[in-house]
Structures are given as C-alpha cells and as structure tokens.
C-alpha cells in the first residue's frame, strides 16, 4: 500500500494540482471565451480564423481557448456542454448541422452564456438556432457569383457537367454553396456534380484524379472548399486535361494557381474576420451589453489575376 | 490493498498440472486480476479530482452538476462500443468496423423512422443491422481464416461507402416521440438515461463474461485456442457470438448518440474503433486475447473521457488535446502494469 501511494498516488496528485494551478491563478474577473471549430486541428483554412480570434483576445485581454470537434457532432455537443460546465462567458461555434446543436446552444443561452456562430450557420439563421449572431459568408450568394464568373468567362452552357467537389458534403456550407452554384448553372442548362473529398489533401487529390479519369467530358471544376480547390490544378495536370478551375477560399497553392492562370478566381470568405469579430462581439456583449450583430464577412468580390498580388503576402495567416 | 488483490486472484484453483484444462483455468484466473487494478487507478484519480474541485470550486468545476451531466452523457458513446470490442478482444479477435457500424445502424434507424415505421421497430431493425455486420465480419474472418484486423479494416471502408450509397452525404434528422427520447436521452436529475443503459449493458456483460460458461469460453479461445478445442469448445461458434455482440454494441451506441443529438451525419463515428481499443487496453484487456474484465473495460472508457474532461475544464489548447490524451493513455497503461507487478 505504501509503495502504491508513493509511486502512483503522489505523482497523480502532483499532476492534477499542476494542471489546475494555472486555472486557479487566472484573474476571476477576466472574460473566458471558448471557440469551437467543427473540423480537426490540421485544416489549413482555420489558421486565419484562429489568428483573428487570438488577436482579438489579446487586444481585449480575454482568455480564449480553442477546441476542435473533428467533424463529429456528438463530440461537438460534448465540447459545448463542457464549456457550459466551465461557466465560460461566451462561446463561438460553427453550426454545420441544422439539428445537432439546437438544444445544447439554447442550453448555453439559458445558462447565461453568450453564443455566436462563425464560418457556418444554421440554414434557417436565427430562426433555427438560439445563437445571437453569425459572422461568416453568404454561401448561396457567393456560390452564384463564382459560378456566373466561370460561365461568362469559359462559355459553360447547355448540357455541360461541372465537377463540384467539397470536403464535407453534408455540412451546411457545402449544401448552400452548391445550391448557389447549381442555380447559376441551371440558368444556362448545365449541371453540377457534388462529390465529397474529405480534408486530407492526398486523399482529395486521389478523388479528383479518379473522378476526372471517369468523366473526361467534364466542362469545368468549381471547388466548394479550400482542400479541393488547392489540389484541383495538380489533378488536371496528372490526367492531362485542360479545363477551367474556380472555387472558394484561399491558400498559397490557390493563389499560385491564380497567378499562373490555372485557377480563374476564388471567393475569399475572409476567415480572419470571422474569428476576430466573433470574439470581439462576444466581448462587447459581456462587457457592455452590446447585442452581437450578423456580419457578412465578404466574398462578393472575387480574388483573381487582377488583384492576387494584393493578398499573396497575407495568405495562410490573415487571408 | 495488495493482499486484497492477491486474495481476489485466488478465486480459482491453482493449476496442478500442465494439462489443457489446467492451462485454461490458469488463463481464466489471471484474466480477472486486471479489473481491480484499473479500478484502483480510476477511483484514486476520481478522489483526487473531486478534492481538487472542492478546493477550487470556482476554477475547477469537476463536481458541478453540468460537468457530471456531460460526463454521464459522453462516456456511454465510447463505453458501449468498448464493451463489445473488449469482449471480442478477449476472444482473440478485433473489429475495426465498429465506427462505421455505429453510423450506418443509426442511419438505418433514422431513415426507417422517417419513412413512417414505429421507432421501436426501427430500433430493432437497426440493432439487427449491427449484429448482421458483426456476424458478416466473423463469417469472413473465420471461414477464410484471415486476420480479423485486416477483414474488419476492409469492412470499415466498405460500410463507410455503403453508408454514402444508402443515404448520400447529407445529414439526417431524427426526432422520435418524446417517450423514446426520455428513455434514451433523458435524465432524472443528474442521472442520464444513456449512462443507465451503459450500466445495464455492463451488468449483462459482467454476467455473461464472468458468471456464464460462454464467458469462460471467450477466455479459453482467446487465450489458448488449442487447449480450448481439446476440452471440447468450438472456437468458431464462440467467436461468432463475440463478433455479433461487438456489432450489437456498436449499433446500440449509435442509436443512443443519435437520440441525444437529434441528427446523424454519414461521416461521424470515424476514429471510435481506435478509441474503443485504447479503452480496452487501458482496462487491462490483452491485445493477444484471453485476458480482460468488464469492469476494466468500463473503467478504461470512463478514464479516457475523464482525461478529456479534465483537459477541457482546465482549458488546455484543443490543438494539442490528442497529444495529451495519447500520452496519458500510455501513462495510465504503464501505471496499470506497475500496480499489477506490485500485486505479485
């Protein structure tokens, strides 16, 4: 028993107290905010989101912790409930499913916690969820814009099939972007084919090449997310095709594709703004009672060859 | 405490010779020793966390009603899957398709209910789908004498694809009658229905594994297949039952998780198979088969979520959560080994 106490109990006790000590040492008057991202930590798109959130947290002197739900709504529910149990002051969360988070977000609001959504929102907006405001892009409108650009510039028309890959087809962002793209395509008699790719770039590239090999008649690619758009130029090169590419979001590879002409244009949803203003609005509500407002983080203006140089320096960190 | 553990290990007679029966009995005896070890570890950790929470109630809300509630909701998802995976591991096999099974079975339930079928019937069919997936895994493994690790790895991918073929990529809403929600995802105070279901399945699993002849057969075929055959046990029949139980548990977990969240996404469930195996290993289940205990599996699953919960409460960066959990899983397994060795 003595051996067990020395070898196990005391190290365990030390570990727990060491873990708890920094939390105890925090100023009790500080504002605690939890940001919950629906994807996993390796997804490049969310780096600017986190940078924006952290910069806002530093600017306003709040405690920010960032959690990742790994595309699992059950895990995301657990994270939100853990934040409620922790009695944080605010929660910023992406709502990529119309049903899965209704109860738990309302429970957070009932517990007096401010909740805003960012990046992805309930498709019914405030009518479908208890969140106070949404900071993100109008996916349907921007889907329509990028598809119109591709149609006008590349002559997509009657009977054409456009490959529209996306990481998580069941997520709200995917269905709304696709809806906007499809609406524009249908106006000219074309159609989009939605394919799920996941986030792993190697797997995404494989999915692209397999699709293109099977559909050599595809007229264009409109990628609905950063992972499929990043890998699209390499995919068409590998299968020896020369078709136009457009899509959403920014990465260094996407900007390089725009610069060398393989990508026509991309929609920038300004993820830095999503993270920055999500934290900012939570802080303003907690401190001053200023109710958060919906914020369209832009994206009607496209990034293309005419303005790509302006964003190149900031990509990956801010853009 | 050490003497207590030693007395528990003496619940079966010592092997008196090298015959197959003695070797089988020896495996069964040694299989029970791990549950107490992991239970001791788990209880010590809980005591320390409770003390820390009582000392710093405003900063470490481990004992708050909200935190207890989320733990009692979260542990069953992994715990129920781990029960089935653990039983199968004791019998000497693996099932890596439990995550896909978890998702597909729940999706079947949701779609059948959405089509107008009574939810009770939809649940029964979903559980049958889960059992069927388990039996198919067993059939392929045992008929063609393939490593179950490989077969179920292939079936994991197969069922993930079948899920998309069956339903597509969109999420599926599941809003059953309130009575069903109360039974599966409701609560009485801080007692969550899902946790009650976990306890019921743990109890049934305990009776099966430690108080029924079939449980002895699981240990025997997992520990020493030839000796089991020598004493008249049919290993294929025993393993098929274990595969079916693993499939059932995966489906049951998916049903409870879907009832709680009210929605199911085709892509969820990924990674649960590895977490379940980790829970079993922490709980003392041998990767080589023939050793383990239901109590250990339960404690292993609860320990994994306890670690995650503590890290969330202390606001550890989510970016590094996997690192912390991975290291702590290994440490917990090492501590378990130290305790066992100290027990003699």
């Amino acid at each position: 028993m003595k051996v067990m106490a020395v070898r196990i109990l005391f190290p365990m006790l030390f570990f727990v107290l060491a873990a708890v000590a920094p939390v105890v040492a925090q100023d009790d008057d500080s504002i605690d905010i939890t940001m919950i991202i629906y994807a996993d930590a390796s997804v490049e798109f969310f780096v600017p989101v986190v940078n924006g959130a952290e910069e806002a947290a530093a600017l306003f002197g709040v405690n920010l912790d960032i959690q990742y739900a790994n595309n699992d709504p059950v895990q995301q529910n657990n994270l939100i409930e853990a934040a409620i149990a922790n009695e944080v002051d605010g929660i910023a969360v992406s709502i990529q499913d119309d049903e899965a988070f209704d109860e738990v977000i309302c429970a957070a609001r009932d517990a007096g916690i401010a909740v805003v959504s960012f990046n992805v929102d309930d498709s019914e907006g405030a009518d479908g969820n208890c969140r106070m405001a949404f900071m993100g892009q109008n996916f349907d409108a921007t889907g329509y814009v990028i598809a119109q650009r591709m149609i006008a510039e590349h002559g997509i028309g009657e009977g054409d099939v456009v490959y529209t890959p996306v990481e998580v087809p069941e997520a709200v962002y995917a269905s709304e972007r696709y809806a906007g793209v499809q609406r524009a395509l249908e106006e000219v008699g074309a159609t989009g084919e939605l394919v799920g790719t996941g986030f792993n770039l190697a797997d995404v590239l494989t999915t692209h090449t397999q699709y293109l090999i099977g559909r050599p008649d595809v007229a264009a690619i409109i990628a609905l997310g950063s992972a499929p758009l990043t890998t699209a130029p390499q995919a068409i090169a590998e299968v020896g095709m020369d078709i136009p590419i457009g899509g959403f979001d920014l990465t260094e590879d996407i900007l390089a594709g725009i610069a060398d002409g393989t990508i026509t244009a991309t929609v920038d949803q300004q993820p830095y703004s999503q993270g920055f203003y999500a934290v900012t609005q939570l802080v303003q509500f907690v401190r001053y009672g200023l109710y958060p407002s919906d914020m369209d983080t832009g994206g009607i203006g496209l990034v293309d060859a005419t303005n790509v140089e302006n964003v190149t320096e900031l990509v990956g960190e801010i853009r | 405490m050490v003497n207590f553990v030693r007395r528990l290990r003496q619940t079966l007679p010592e092997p008196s010779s090298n015959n197959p029966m003695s070797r089988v009995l020896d495996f069964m005896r040694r299989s029970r020793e791990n549950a107490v070890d992991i239970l001791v570890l788990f209880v010590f950790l809980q005591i320390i966390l409770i003390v820390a929470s009582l000392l710093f109630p405003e900063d470490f809300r481990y004992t708050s009603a909200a935190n207890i509630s989320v733990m009692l909701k979260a542990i069953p998802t992994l715990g129920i899957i781990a029960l089935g995976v653990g039983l199968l591991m004791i019998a000497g096999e693996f099932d890596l398709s439990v995550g896909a099974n978890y998702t597909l079975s729940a999706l079947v339930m949701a779609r059948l209910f959405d089509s107008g079928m009574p939810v009770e019937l939809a649940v029964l069919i979903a559980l049958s789908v889960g059992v069927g997936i388990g039996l198919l895994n067993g059939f392929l493994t045992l008929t063609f004498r393939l490593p179950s690790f490989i077969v179920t790895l292939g079936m994991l991918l197969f069922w993930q694809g079948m899920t998309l073929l069956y339903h597509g990529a969109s999420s599926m809403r599941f809003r059953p009658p309130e009575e069903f929600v109360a039974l599966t995802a409701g609560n009485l105070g801080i007692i969550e229905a899902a946790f009650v279901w976990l306890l019921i399945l743990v109890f049934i699993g305990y009776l099966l594994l430690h108080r029924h002849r079939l449980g002895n057969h699981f240990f025997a075929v997992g520990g020493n297949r030839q000796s089991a055959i020598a004493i008249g046990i049919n290993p294929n029949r025993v393993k098929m039952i274990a595969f079916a139980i693993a499939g059932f548990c995966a489906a049951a977990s998916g049903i409870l998780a879907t009832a709680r969240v009210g929605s199911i996404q085709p892509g969820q469930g990924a990674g649960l198979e590895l977490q379940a195996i980790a829970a079993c290993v922490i709980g003392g289940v041998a990767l080589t088969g023939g050793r383990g205990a239901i109590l250990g599996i339960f404690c292993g699953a609860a320990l994994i979520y306890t670690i995650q919960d503590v890290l969330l409460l202390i606001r550890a960066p989510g970016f590094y959560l996997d690192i912390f959990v991975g290291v702590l899983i290994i440490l917990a397994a090492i501590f378990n080994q130290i305790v066992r060795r100290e027990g003699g």
Side-chain angles (χ1 to χ4, degrees), chain A residues 145-217:
Chain A
V145 166
I146 184 65
Q148 277 196 320
R149 171 67 181 270
M150 296 295 286
I151 290 167
E153 190 156 327
H154 301 292
I156 296 171
E158 180 75 33
D160 283 338
V161 173
V162 174
Y163 174 42
T164 53
V166 70
E167 298 94 343
V168 187
E170 63 266 30
V172 172
Y173 82 91
S175 59
E176 291 190 350
R177 285 175 177 176
Y178 178 70
V181 167
Q182 183 70 352
R183 194 167 74 250
L185 292 176
E186 284 174 353
E187 288 177 357
V188 297
T191 187
E193 191 160 8
L194 186 67
V195 175
T197 65
F199 288 97
N200 184 310
L201 292 182
D203 295 337
V204 177
L205 179 61
T206 300
T207 301
H208 285 341
T209 53
Q210 288 169 340
Y211 177 89
L212 294 172
I213 289 170
R215 292 298 300 264
D217 58 334

Side-chain angles (χ1 to χ4, degrees), chain B residues 72-97:
Chain B
L72 295 183
K73 287 179 196 173
I75 291 171
T77 300
L78 177 61
I80 292 173
I81 294 179
L83 281 179
V85 167
L87 279 172
L88 185 59
M89 286 174 65
I90 290 171
E93 303 291 350
F94 291 92
D95 188 350
L96 297 183
S97 69

Side-chain angles (χ1 to χ4, degrees), chain B residues 45-94:
Chain B
L45 180 61
Q46 294 301 323
I47 290 172
I48 292 169
L49 292 173
I50 291 169
V51 168
S53 181
L54 293 174
L55 288 175
F56 310 107
E58 292 302 315
D59 301 295
F60 186 60
R61 296 182 173 89
Y62 188 74
T63 54
S64 67
N67 189 60
I68 293 172
S69 173
V70 68
M71 287 188 68
L72 295 183
K73 287 179 196 173
I75 291 171
T77 300
L78 177 61
I80 292 173
I81 294 179
L83 281 179
V85 167
L87 279 172
L88 185 59
M89 286 174 65
I90 290 171
E93 303 291 350
F94 291 92

Side-chain angles (χ1 to χ4, degrees), chain B residues 108-185:
Chain B
V108 165
M109 173 192 66
R111 285 195 59 162
L112 289 175
F113 175 71
D114 189 60
S115 70
M117 184 178 290
V119 68
E120 296 82 3
L121 185 57
V123 166
L124 281 176
I125 292 175
L127 289 172
S128 301
V129 167
V131 170
I133 290 173
L135 288 173
L136 179 59
N137 290 337
F139 172 77
L140 292 172
T141 298
L142 300 171
T143 302
F144 298 102
R145 298 184 183 181
L146 299 170
S148 55
F149 193 91
I150 300 299
V151 169
T152 57
L153 182 62
M155 295 309 285
L156 161 71
L157 300 172
F158 176 78
W159 291 120
Q160 281 181 349
M162 285 300 290
T163 298
L164 294 175
L165 185 67
Y166 170 63
H167 176 70
S170 59
S171 61
M172 179 79 200
R173 177 188 168 110
F174 180 62
R175 294 292 176 180
E178 283 188 15
E179 300 78 29
F180 182 83
V181 176
L183 197 62
T184 53

Side-chain angles (χ1 to χ4, degrees), chain A residues 219-302:
Chain A
I221 299 175
I222 300 178
L224 306 182
S226 63
L229 185 58
T230 294
T231 49
Q234 185 178 349
I236 64 169
E238 285 189 3
V239 299
M241 293 175 73
D242 183 16
I243 55 175
I245 301 171
F248 284 79
D249 300 331
L250 296 179
T251 64
E252 286 188 15
D253 290 319
I254 292 172
L255 292 182
I258 293 174
D260 69 19
T262 52
I263 295 178
T264 302
T266 186
V267 179
D268 176 20
Q269 61 176 301
Q270 302 183 141
Y272 180 93
S273 297
Q274 295 175 5
F276 186 90
Y277 290 114
V279 171
T280 299
Q281 294 220 57
L282 286 172
V283 172
Q284 307 295 23
F285 176 75
V286 172
R287 278 192 179 149
Y288 310 120
L290 300 175
Y291 202 91
S293 307
D294 286 343
M295 183 177 293
D296 186 343
T297 56
I300 301 298
L302 303 176

Side-chain angles (χ1 to χ4, degrees), chain A residues 8 66 78 86 97 99 170, chain B residues 61 169 173 260 263 318 339:
Chain A
I8 296 172
I66 298 172
N78 291 341
N86 238 351
D97 186 297
E99 310 290 340
E170 63 266 30
Chain B
R61 296 182 173 89
R173 177 188 168 110
R260 172 191 170 196
S263 171
V339 171

